[in-house]
């Protein structure tokens, strides 16, 4: 969800104004990636986490591995009647608690405040932002404790810290959601602050809320690196095309140099189809060798690129997955086969076509010239 002008940061009053609007939304939730100070055996450690609102996990529709997830009751000042609670990832459960089966109910001290572990999420769960992979999910209402002395909750229109997303009700389209958001925008804007000048300035810029598809999650990295990565992809495609053209030229020259040999084999009874098949297999071997080398180098280059984009391995770094999957392997195999057929077929047909006597004479002339 965004504001006018493709602005994706929300303040707390805007989010709270939208949170209970369930005419077209099944769930409305917000989150903010944060670094949590967790007390370990040797002192406080920085751990990658996220502050989530009460409907976050209900909208994600992913069952916890153990225990329960956070609910609107947890997203209150001071937490639920049982106290402040957090949900941890399976990775955190493994590294901090050694996969202890009784982890639910244990205490975790964050920012010198005890939180109770309410549940464990499975390792494949990445949350709403696939580039973050948080280890701890804390309630949004605990922000004044976790980020003290900062207080985004009560910062009003001066704290733009939340990403807001929603799950549509079954059968509702994005267009219908936008039509429902338009009349809500004005009242929420006026209810967010008493600063009339700021409200008038927002109205001057046609303030309104808008929804857009979010099935792949939300990540700022898409807006930052989309154009550079598309440009890089086009450059790689151009380099690949030049390499294919150079390889085709080399195969044509190689076929011309073998005209006498191929003509002699045709004269001795070899079929043209057999010779074309042999030349295609030779081209395919070259393509397979190049593809295999590319598949070996791809993980190294990908991990180097990810390390450059993500900013290292610290708690503030992005978790980008650069592992090779079957789709990449299938694409590489398809390109290899296509290149072998297109690049190898034309030289093969040219080398085995034409008059045999002329090919033998040209081959003999080439041999004498050498």
């Amino acid at each position: 969800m965004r504001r006018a002008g493709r602005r994706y940061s929300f303040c707390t009053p805007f989010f709270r104004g939208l949170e209970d609007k369930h005419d077209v939304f099944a769930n409305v939730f917000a989150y903010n990636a944060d670094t949590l100070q967790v007390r370990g055996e040797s002192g406080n450690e920085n751990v990658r986490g996220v502050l989530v609102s009460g409907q976050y996990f209900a909208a994600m529709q992913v069952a916890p591995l153990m225990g329960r997830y956070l609910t609107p009751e947890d997203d209150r000042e001071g937490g639920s009647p049982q106290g402040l609670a957090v949900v941890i990832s399976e990775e955190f459960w493994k590294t901090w608690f050694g996969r202890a089966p009784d982890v639910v109910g244990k205490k975790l001290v964050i920012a010198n405040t005890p939180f109770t572990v309410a549940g464990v999420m499975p390792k494949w769960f990445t949350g709403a932002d696939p580039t973050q992979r948080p280890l701890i999910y804390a309630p949004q209402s605990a922000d004044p404790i976790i980020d003290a002395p900062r207080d985004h909750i009560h910062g009003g229109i001066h704290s733009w810290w939340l990403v807001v997303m929603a799950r549509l009700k079954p059968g509702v389209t994005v267009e219908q959601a936008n039509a429902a958001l338009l009349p809500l925008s004005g009242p929420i804007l006026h209810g967010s602050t008493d600063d009339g000048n700021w409200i008038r300035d927002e109205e001057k810029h046609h303030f309104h809320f808008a929804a857009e598809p979010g099935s792949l999650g939300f990540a700022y990295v898409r807006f930052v690196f989309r154009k550079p990565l598309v440009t890089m992809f086009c450059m790689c495609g151009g380099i690949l095309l030049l390499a294919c053209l150079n390889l085709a030229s080399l195969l044509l020259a190689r076929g011309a140099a073998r005209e006498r040999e191929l003509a002699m084999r045709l004269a001795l009874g070899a079929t043209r189809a057999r010779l074309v098949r042999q030349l295609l297999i030779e081209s395919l071997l070259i393509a397979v060798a190049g593809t295999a080398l590319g598949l070996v180098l791809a993980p190294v280059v990908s991990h180097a690129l990810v390390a450059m984009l993500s900013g290292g391995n610290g708690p503030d770094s992005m978790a980008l997955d650069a592992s090779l999957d079957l789709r990449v392997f299938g694409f590489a195999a398809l390109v290899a086969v296509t290149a072998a057929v297109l690049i190898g077929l034309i030289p093969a047909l040219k080398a085995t076509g034409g008059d045999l006597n002329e090919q033998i004479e040209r081959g003999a002339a080439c041999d004498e010239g050498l």
Side-chain angles (χ1 to χ4, degrees):
M1 201 173 292
R2 60 180 172 84
R3 297 176 287 137
R6 300 192 70 84
R7 294 177 291 176
Y8 293 94
S9 296
F10 279 64
C11 61
T12 303
F14 281 3
F15 165 63
R16 294 303 182 190
L18 291 167
E19 188 176 23
D20 296 325
K21 307 303 181 184
H22 290 169
D23 296 335
V24 293
F25 301 116
N27 305 102
V28 180
F29 65 93
Y31 68 92
N32 175 59
D34 204 347
T35 300
L36 311 183
Q37 291 254 329
V38 183
R39 184 179 298 171
E41 295 180 356
S42 57
N44 288 341
E45 296 185 28
N46 291 331
V47 177
R48 185 167 58 245
V50 63
L51 304 181
V52 301
S53 63
Q55 299 181 45
Y56 179 90
F57 287 102
M60 293 291 103
Q61 295 186 349
V62 176
L65 189 66
M66 298 174 61
R68 65 174 180 87
Y69 48 62
L70 300 179
T71 66
E73 190 176 37
D74 296 297
D75 189 24
R76 298 175 180 175
E77 188 173 351
S80 68
Q82 290 74 37
L84 294 167
V86 294
V87 169
I88 62 175
S89 68
E90 186 175 353
E91 180 184 348
F92 189 81
W93 174 43
K94 176 183 176 181
T95 56
W96 278 68
F97 294 98
R99 291 187 173 273
D102 59 345
V103 64
V104 175
K106 285 184 175 293
K107 297 295 182 181
L108 196 63
V109 178
I110 304 174
N112 297 320
T113 304
F115 287 74
T116 302
V117 177
V120 180
M121 297 304 293
K123 61 182 178 182
W124 52 266
F125 178 71
T126 61
D129 188 339
T131 67
Q132 294 298 327
R133 297 184 182 275
L135 300 177
I136 299 177
Y137 301 84
Q140 178 183 309
S141 58
D143 171 73
I145 298 172
I146 293 175
D147 284 331
R150 293 178 298 173
D151 185 354
H152 298 104
I153 294 288
H154 301 99
I157 61 171
H158 303 291
S159 295
W160 301 92
W161 66 301
L162 295 173
V163 176
V164 177
M165 299 184 71
R167 177 175 289 276
L168 294 172
K169 286 186 175 180
V172 178
T173 64
V174 175
E175 290 74 20
Q176 291 172 325
N178 281 320
L181 284 171
L182 199 57
L184 297 175
S185 302
I188 292 177
L189 173 64
H190 283 267
S192 63
T193 180
D194 295 327
D195 189 341
N197 291 329
W198 184 82
I199 292 176
R200 284 190 292 273
D201 184 65
E202 288 293 315
E203 289 178 332
K204 187 187 303 182
H205 292 87
H206 308 288
F207 175 89
H208 67 278
F209 297 117
E212 59 186 45
S215 59
L216 298 178
F218 178 85
Y220 282 110
V221 67
R222 292 196 184 109
F223 302 99
V224 177
F225 296 114
R226 182 179 179 84
K227 288 184 179 179
L229 289 177
V230 170
T231 302
M232 183 180 297
F233 178 80
C234 294
M235 292 175 59
C236 291
I239 294 173
L240 180 62
L241 179 61
L242 290 176
C244 289
L245 291 175
N246 287 335
L247 183 59
S249 300
L250 291 174
L251 291 176
L252 282 171
R254 185 169 176 265
R258 296 178 64 185
E259 278 190 356
R260 185 183 183 189
E261 171 201 339
L262 297 174
M264 291 291 292
R265 293 176 64 181
L266 286 170
L268 293 174
T271 62
R272 187 184 185 192
R274 182 176 180 180
L275 295 179
V276 170
R277 185 165 60 248
Q278 176 189 336
L279 294 176
L280 277 177
I281 291 174
E282 293 175 359
S283 301
L284 183 60
L285 288 175
I286 296 174
V288 169
T291 303
L293 180 61
L295 290 174
V296 171
L297 294 177
V300 178
V301 176
S302 297
H303 284 95
L305 182 61
V306 165
M308 180 180 67
L309 296 178
S310 64
N313 297 316
D316 296 326
S317 64
M318 293 182 293
L320 301 177
D321 185 8
S323 59
L324 188 65
D325 60 21
L326 291 178
R327 291 172 296 180
V328 175
F329 181 79
F331 176 76
L334 179 62
V335 170
V337 173
T338 303
V341 172
L342 294 180
I343 295 176
L345 185 60
I346 296 175
L349 293 176
K350 188 175 186 302
T352 57
D355 184 80
L356 294 181
N357 292 327
E358 290 183 4
Q359 289 180 337
I360 293 174
E361 290 175 0
R362 283 201 302 270
C366 289
D367 291 341
E368 291 175 0
L370 295 174

